[in-house]
Amino acid sequence: ANNKGAIVYSHNGDSMKFSTNSAEAMRINSIGIVTKPLQPAFCSIASVQSNMALNSWQQIAFVNQQFDQNDDYSTTDSLFTAPVTGKYQLQVDVRLDQVDTAATYYQVRINTSNRNYHTIFDMGRMSSDLDYWNFNLSVLADMDAGDVCVVQFIQANGTQQTDVDGESYFSGYLVA
């Protein structure tokens, strides 16, 4: 008998479980909440990175994994790989410390195989160096199966003094 796929209704818990390839793919509980334990979703926290290099894109290391629901995020290279073609909600919060007002600008981007998504700030408008600054960026990105995604940072000019704080995070999930 082939037990790879099944739909099971539990009368005791008033829930329905859908299995594919012998693994639970979806459950609907007694009040209608749908959970999908294999749905791609991840969140990883950055390690502290000191004195980021100037004038070139630097990848931010998000190595402290909070969760990775479908094992699609690599903490080794801070890289998310889309397991299927779809629309992915990606968001990043990058806290920079020791921000230099002599920099022409700072940029943070989510770099996907299909496109880059940017946020930028001109620090030259500040009267003195800042202790910290947050960059927030979110996007609904089109990704194909096997496409990859990383978060990058650039400081144009100024003094090499800016740090990525360990409170920074990168997360995402498959929407559709």
Side-chain angles (χ1 to χ4, degrees):
N2 183 350
N3 293 326
K4 289 190 171 197
I7 300 172
V8 177
Y9 186 82
S10 168
H11 292 282
N12 291 338
D14 285 328
S15 65
M16 187 176 290
K17 178 174 82 170
F18 297 78
S19 298
T20 60
N21 202 20
S22 302
E24 183 175 326
M26 182 172 68
R27 180 180 297 257
I28 304 171
N29 75 4
S30 63
I31 60 172
I33 295 173
V34 177
T35 56
K36 298 186 272 182
L38 300 178
Q39 185 78 357
F42 71 93
C43 182
S44 197
I45 309 301
S47 62
V48 173
Q49 295 151 79
S50 300
N51 302 321
M52 297 293 283
L54 303 176
N55 301 317
S56 64
W57 287 103
Q58 305 296 310
Q59 185 171 329
I60 298 176
F62 292 93
V63 298
N64 301 308
Q65 192 171 83
Q66 298 298 296
F67 61 86
D68 184 3
Q69 192 161 283
N70 195 51
D71 200 27
D72 302 305
Y73 185 82
S74 168
T75 56
T76 304
D77 50 12
S78 301
L79 179 82
F80 171 69
T81 303
V84 297
T85 298
K87 308 302 182 265
Y88 290 82
Q89 178 64 41
L90 304 169
Q91 47 276 329
V92 64
D93 179 86
V94 176
R95 177 178 152 185
L96 301 179
D97 294 344
Q98 311 309 318
V99 178
D100 183 19
T101 56
T104 307
Y105 62 85
Y106 283 86
Q107 253 185 315
V108 170
R109 74 180 179 187
I110 297 174
N111 180 347
T112 72
S113 298
N114 291 335
R115 181 182 171 147
N116 294 319
Y117 303 92
H118 296 264
T119 183
I120 188 171
F121 192 76
D122 174 2
M123 294 297 177
R125 301 287 182 213
M126 300 296 173
S127 60
S128 63
D129 287 356
L130 303 173
D131 291 334
Y132 53 87
W133 187 266
N134 270 61
F135 283 89
N136 298 285
L137 178 60
S138 62
V139 64
L140 185 60
D142 179 33
M143 296 181 75
D144 300 317
D147 281 356
V148 295
C149 175
V150 296
V151 176
Q152 297 173 317
F153 156 91
I154 190 170
Q155 175 185 337
N157 305 315
T159 304
Q160 185 174 336
Q161 68 185 40
T162 302
D163 307 329
V164 172
D165 188 86
E167 292 183 7
S168 304
Y169 64 87
F170 175 37
S171 63
Y173 61 95
L174 175 64
V175 174

